[in-house]
């Protein structure tokens, strides 16, 4: 999972419990979801039960799902739960908690029915991350299946057949293969409940594109309510990115089919948690529809690449806690540094490795992670953070898995590169671990570190693990950068017209009126001073184009491309009076402290690290 925080808005893999002895080889869960007869923004689900021999059985809807680091209680969105025998008589049921229902006389059970409410239009009432949520509307159904389908106690490992009755004009985008040729009914067959949760489906009017990378089929489906974006338009950027990812991974085994389900939110009684949630063969992505094409592609590059790299870990390399995931009594692994940290590191490293970003841009990203990591408890052992990430102070620090977790992976990579004279790094380690384990062979949580030390034969790696992952000692990042000839230095960069020292935006958004205004108590840039823009000025138009909340990203992108002495006209509102300011663009240079090459004698080793 990766969350994106925009200035205009405001995954943990859990787990464990062996299968019950009540499971039988021939049992099957038959699920029917009706997307046609929607009532009060709810859909009905019918589950024909496998043969149950016990007097009682519990039906569970997940409390928590992989990748979210959050106990979200999806059962709260279930209503009117009814159990029936084969004659259509109701059986007695009792709701045990938010996520489970006990069915009495279960040996007579034929089926259960219930209604599901969605999460997108009531996001102010819960904390479910939007890419893990659900949507029910006339033109879009986001079926994150954990919100619609549960499991009978003892039958989580038995097969599922899911039949979905749908409007004929909607297409169900998914990595699954539809077993039914009808345009009114889709049928999917899965081996166990984990596969149900792991395969979201997005129904909307067809807006898809596809391409092939080596032997892997990629499907992209876009839902844009106001038709601002479409799949074909973003295809070139996505194809370039995913080809680069595959080139970076090399011979690492990947899935044969991968689906990207992109939901673009209108932000009006709609999803407002932006980012993505990974699955074995797909990812669900939620972004604001108002973003311009360049900004959307930039965010997709970072977010989707992170989720795609989860095919390495934890999907190919994971502990028993993840393999035997318990959706209602979560048990955490201690290796979030691996699952999220290594993944986030790869999502940045591959971009410099494949020439999608410059070396300076890579260092800026790493420096930003160091700054963000400093906001969290730097002496909290990462293994403890991982094991207890759902609780108290550990939960408050979980975002650090994307910051310090990635930095941990970087430092291990540097250690491995130095020890091998540049020949191998952390990607090579991941490949060896995937061969040792793989998708169907989990490791024991307490044994992974010993396995890593055995594979690498590197005492420095053992010391790093003991000191900085299991231990409380903060990492001296300058020490590791120095191994690659990189250190802190000063360089001149072209400043953004609206930004000072690349940190402090000089515009903001009035959330009620949607105006863009010049902030108070900030130093104005040379651009602002040259045009006599003042604090509290409201920017209405620039060169004839009106700007407000809905297209502020367009303004920032356009301004980044302005050249010295370009003519410019700005219409502003000052003290309730409309004024027109005319002049020429003033571009400033500023000194910026940051990481850069300071020791050219390490050039070959540094290139091996960044370019592989």
């Amino acid at each position: 999972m990766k969350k994106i925080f925009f200035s205009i808005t405001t995954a943990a893999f859990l787990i464990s419990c062996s299968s019950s002895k009540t499971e039988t080889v021939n049992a099957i869960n038959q699920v029917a979801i009706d997307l046609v007869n929607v009532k009060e923004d709810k859909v009905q689900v019918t589950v024909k039960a496998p043969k149950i021999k016990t007097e009682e059985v519990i039906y569970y809807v997940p409390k928590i799902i992989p990748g979210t680091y959050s106990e979200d209680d999806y059962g709260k969105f279930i209503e009117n739960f009814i159990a029936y025998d084969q004659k259509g008589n109701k059986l007695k049921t009792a709701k045990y908690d938010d996520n489970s229902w006990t069915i009495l006389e279960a040996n007579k059970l034929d089926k259960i029915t219930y209604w599901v409410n969605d999460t997108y239009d009531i996001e102010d009432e819960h904390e479910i991350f939007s890419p893990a949520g659900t949507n029910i509307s006339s033109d879009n159904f986001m079926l994150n299946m954990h919100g619609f389908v549960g499991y009978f106690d003892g039958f989580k490992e038995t097969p599922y057949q899911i039949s979905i009755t749908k409007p004929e004009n909607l297409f169900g985008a998914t990595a699954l293969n539809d077993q039914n040729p009808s345009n009114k009914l889709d049928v999917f067959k899965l081996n166990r409940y984990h596969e149900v949760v792991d395969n979201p489906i997005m129904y909307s009017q067809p807006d898809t594109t596809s391409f092939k990378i080596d032997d892997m089929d990629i499907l992209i489906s876009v839902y844009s309510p106001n038709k601002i974006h479409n799949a074909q338009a973003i295809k070139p950027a996505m194809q370039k990115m995913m080809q680069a990812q595959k080139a970076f991974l090399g011979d690492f085994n990947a899935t044969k089919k991968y689906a990207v389900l992109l939901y673009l939110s209108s932000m009006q009684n709609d999803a407002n948690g932006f980012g993505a949630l990974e699955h074995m063969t797909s990812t669900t992505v939620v972004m604001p529809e108002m973003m311009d094409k360049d900004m959307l592609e930039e965010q997709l590059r970072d977010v989707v690449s992170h989720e795609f790299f989860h095919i390495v870990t934890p999907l190919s390399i994971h502990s028993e806690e993840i393999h035997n995931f318990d959706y209602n009594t979560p048990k955490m692994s201690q290796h979030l540094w691996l699952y999220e940290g290594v993944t986030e590191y790869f999502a940045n490293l591959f971009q410099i490795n494949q020439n999608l970003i410059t070396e300076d841009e890579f260092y800026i990203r790493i420096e930003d992670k160091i700054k963000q990591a400093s906001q969290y408890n730097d002496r909290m052992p990462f293994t403890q953070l991982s094991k207890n990430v759902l609780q108290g102070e550990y939960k408050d620090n979980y975002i650090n898995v994307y910051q310090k977790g990635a930095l941990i992976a970087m430092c291990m990579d540097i250690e491995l590169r130095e020890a091998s004279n540049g020949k191998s790094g952390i990607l090579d380690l991941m490949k060896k671990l995937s061969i040792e384990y793989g998708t169907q062979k989990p490791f024991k949580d307490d044994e992974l570190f010993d396995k890593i030390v055995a594979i690498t034969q590197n005492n420095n790696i053992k010391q790093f693990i003991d000191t900085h992952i299991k231990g409380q000692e903060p990492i001296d990042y300058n020490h590791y950068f120095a191994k690659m000839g990189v250190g802190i230095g000063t360089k001149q960069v072209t400043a953004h017209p609206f930004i000072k020292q690349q940190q402090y935006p000089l515009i903001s958004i009035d959330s009620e009126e949607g105006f863009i205004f010049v902030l108070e108590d900030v130093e104005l840039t040379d651009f602002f001073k040259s045009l006599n823009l003042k604090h509290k000025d409201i920017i209405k138009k620039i060169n004839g184009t009106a700007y407000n909340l809905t297209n502020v990203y367009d303004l920032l992108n356009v301004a980044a491309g302005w050249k010295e002495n370009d003519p410019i006209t700005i219409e502003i509102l000052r003290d309730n009076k409309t004024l027109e300011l005319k002049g020429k663009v003033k571009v400033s240079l500023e000194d910026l402290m940051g990481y850069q090459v300071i020791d050219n004698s390490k050039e070959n080793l540094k290139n091996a690290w960044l370019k592989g």
Side-chain angles (χ1 to χ4, degrees):
M1 176 187 77
K2 188 171 183 182
K3 292 185 178 181
I4 301 299
F5 298 95
F6 295 108
S7 59
I8 61 172
T9 66
T10 58
F13 290 84
L14 321 155
I15 354 250
S16 124
C17 193
S18 59
S19 303
S20 166
K21 294 180 179 179
T22 59
E23 295 186 9
T24 61
V25 175
N26 297 321
I28 186 169
N29 301 275
Q30 299 183 53
V31 180
I33 302 175
D34 186 352
L35 304 183
V36 174
N37 299 300
V38 178
K39 296 182 180 179
E40 299 178 348
D41 204 30
K42 303 178 183 72
V43 302
Q44 188 176 46
V45 176
T46 301
V47 183
K48 187 171 178 60
K51 181 60 178 176
I52 295 171
K53 298 180 180 180
T54 55
E55 290 293 323
E56 296 182 4
V57 72
I58 300 175
Y59 184 78
Y60 291 102
V61 170
K63 177 186 186 70
I64 186 169
I65 60 164
T68 58
Y69 309 96
S70 176
E71 296 178 333
D72 291 325
D73 298 317
Y74 291 93
K76 288 182 177 180
F77 303 91
I78 303 298
E79 301 177 4
N80 198 25
F81 183 96
I82 302 174
Y84 297 93
D85 66 15
Q86 291 185 350
K87 295 181 179 180
N89 300 313
K90 292 182 181 179
L91 299 175
K92 291 183 179 181
T93 64
K95 191 170 184 179
Y96 180 73
D97 58 23
D98 286 334
N99 306 292
S100 61
W101 292 259
T102 298
I103 302 169
L104 306 181
E105 297 184 281
N107 54 344
K108 298 180 181 179
L109 180 64
D110 178 51
K111 66 180 181 181
I112 59 172
T113 64
Y114 50 86
W115 290 82
V116 179
N117 196 1
D118 62 347
T119 68
Y120 281 6
D121 55 2
I122 54 171
E123 289 210 331
D124 57 340
E125 299 178 15
H126 60 79
E127 296 183 357
I128 294 175
F129 181 43
S130 299
T134 58
N135 189 52
I136 298 171
S137 63
S138 60
D139 61 346
N140 177 275
F141 296 87
M142 177 60 84
L143 302 189
N144 272 308
M145 301 303 290
H146 51 265
F148 293 86
V149 182
Y151 59 94
F152 291 102
D153 186 27
F155 292 88
K156 191 167 58 175
E157 297 299 316
T158 57
Y160 276 73
Q161 177 174 295
I162 298 179
S163 303
I164 302 176
T165 305
K166 68 179 187 70
E168 290 187 65
N169 66 319
L170 301 187
F171 169 74
T174 179
L176 295 171
N177 294 316
D178 180 14
Q179 306 291 316
N180 191 302
S182 169
N183 199 34
K184 299 180 180 180
L185 179 70
D186 291 344
V187 177
F188 305 102
K189 295 182 178 180
L190 305 109
N191 293 318
R192 62 187 186 118
Y193 184 69
H194 179 74
E195 292 185 14
V196 176
V197 174
D198 205 38
N199 284 280
I201 309 171
M202 185 173 76
Y203 283 91
S204 56
Q205 293 184 6
D207 183 5
T208 64
T209 188
S210 61
F211 51 87
K212 207 172 185 67
I213 299 177
D214 295 340
D215 61 346
M216 179 168 54
D217 293 312
I218 307 294
L219 170 69
I220 297 175
S221 179
V222 174
Y223 170 69
S224 180
N226 296 300
K227 310 302 180 186
I228 296 175
H229 301 282
N230 63 78
Q232 199 62 38
I234 66 173
K235 176 181 177 178
M238 294 291 289
Q239 187 169 8
K240 179 181 180 181
M241 177 195 75
M242 299 186 85
Q243 283 176 333
Q245 288 185 273
K246 188 63 176 69
F248 172 78
L249 289 175
D251 58 359
F252 193 95
N253 291 329
T255 179
K256 296 296 184 182
K257 184 178 181 181
Y258 197 86
V260 178
L261 311 181
L262 174 58
Y263 181 98
L264 296 173
S265 170
S266 67
M267 297 179 62
Q268 298 175 351
N269 295 320
D270 203 349
N272 56 37
F274 304 129
L277 179 67
E278 76 278 1
H279 299 273
M280 173 68 88
T281 57
S282 60
T283 183
T284 52
V285 189
V286 177
M287 291 287 175
E289 187 184 33
M290 68 182 182
M291 297 173 72
D292 70 85
K293 180 173 177 289
D294 290 342
M295 178 66 77
L296 177 61
E297 289 178 353
E298 179 182 341
Q299 293 298 330
L300 288 175
R301 185 179 66 194
D302 288 342
V303 172
V304 175
S305 63
H306 175 99
E307 308 308 336
F308 182 79
F309 277 127
H310 274 302
I311 66 173
V312 178
T313 179
L315 302 177
S316 296
I317 310 165
H318 55 260
S319 69
E320 293 174 334
E321 284 80 1
I322 290 174
H323 194 74
N324 302 312
F325 192 94
D326 191 319
Y327 299 88
N328 291 82
T329 309
K331 182 181 178 183
M332 303 302 297
S333 166
Q334 63 181 304
H335 295 296
L336 285 182
W337 71 271
L338 171 70
Y339 308 139
E340 295 295 347
V342 171
T343 300
E344 178 65 6
Y345 175 58
F346 282 168
N348 286 274
L349 181 65
F350 98 95
Q351 295 188 52
I352 174 63
N353 181 275
Q354 296 295 311
N355 299 312
L356 299 181
I357 61 175
T358 66
E359 194 170 313
D360 283 343
E361 287 172 324
F362 177 76
Y363 295 146
I364 289 171
R365 286 169 175 240
I366 296 301
E367 185 174 7
D368 184 58
K369 288 193 177 296
I370 293 173
K371 290 177 181 178
Q372 292 188 51
S374 69
Q375 300 174 23
Y376 298 93
N377 184 349
D378 203 23
R379 290 192 173 275
M380 179 180 287
F382 235 68
T383 49
Q384 289 185 21
L385 166 62
S386 300
K387 290 289 287 187
N388 302 283
V389 72
L390 300 177
Q391 306 167 19
E393 63 174 329
Y394 300 104
K395 183 177 181 180
D396 294 338
N397 280 265
Y398 99 89
I399 290 294
N400 207 16
V401 301
Y402 303 104
Q403 316 306 335
K404 188 174 181 179
L407 296 170
I408 285 172
M410 181 191 74
C411 294
M412 292 183 70
D413 194 17
I414 289 173
E415 281 282 13
L416 292 169
R417 288 291 179 185
E418 183 186 45
S420 64
N421 197 27
K423 293 180 180 179
S424 63
I426 198 168
L427 178 58
D428 302 280
L429 172 61
M430 293 300 109
K431 290 179 179 180
K432 291 176 182 177
L433 287 172
S434 71
I435 295 171
E436 177 74 22
Y437 299 107
T439 59
Q440 300 304 316
K441 182 184 175 183
F443 58 78
K444 292 185 181 299
D445 214 53
D446 291 333
E447 296 180 359
L448 177 65
F449 287 135
D450 290 339
K451 179 61 68 174
I452 288 174
V453 173
I455 290 175
T456 61
Q457 293 290 299
N458 189 321
N459 288 331
N460 287 341
I461 290 294
K462 183 181 188 309
Q463 183 178 356
F464 181 87
I465 290 170
D466 292 340
T467 305
H468 301 302
I469 304 180
K470 296 164 67 174
Q472 300 181 358
E473 186 66 27
I475 302 172
D476 179 0
Y477 299 108
N478 290 338
H479 167 74
Y480 289 94
F481 274 123
K483 293 173 181 287
M484 300 291 118
V486 175
I488 297 291
T490 303
K491 54 189 173 184
Q492 276 200 327
V493 297
T494 301
H496 190 287
F498 294 157
I499 297 175
K500 192 75 170 179
Q501 291 297 316
Q502 298 193 2
Q503 295 182 35
Y504 305 106
L506 297 182
I507 61 172
S508 186
I509 306 300
D510 185 310
S511 59
E512 294 182 0
E513 301 296 332
F515 292 147
I516 301 172
F517 62 92
V518 182
L519 288 172
E520 299 181 69
D521 303 323
V522 293
E523 183 182 353
L524 297 179
T525 65
D526 290 344
F527 168 76
F528 277 59
K529 292 176 182 178
S530 69
L531 290 169
N532 197 32
L533 276 164
K534 297 181 178 181
H535 297 115
K536 295 187 178 180
D537 283 350
I538 294 174
I539 297 174
K540 302 289 289 183
K541 293 182 180 180
I542 297 182
N543 289 340
T545 300
Y547 289 104
N548 53 36
L549 171 66
T550 61
N551 63 348
V552 63
Y553 290 115
D554 292 348
L555 172 58
L556 295 177
N557 286 335
V558 168
W562 288 341
K563 306 297 183 185
E564 182 82 12
N565 294 323
D566 282 348
I568 190 165
T569 300
I570 301 182
E571 182 183 308
I572 65 168
L573 190 65
R574 179 183 296 168
D575 298 327
N576 294 319
K577 295 181 181 179
T578 299
L579 301 176
E580 188 174 78
L581 308 178
K582 291 187 176 182
K584 294 183 178 180
V585 172
K586 176 69 175 177
V587 176
S588 302
L589 295 177
E590 61 183 16
D591 290 332
L592 182 68
M593 294 289 292
Y595 287 108
Q596 56 188 283
V597 175
I598 60 174
D599 181 0
N600 290 322
S601 69
K602 304 288 183 66
E603 184 77 8
N604 290 338
L605 189 58
K606 181 212 67 177
N607 288 339
W609 167 42
L610 297 181
K611 297 297 184 177

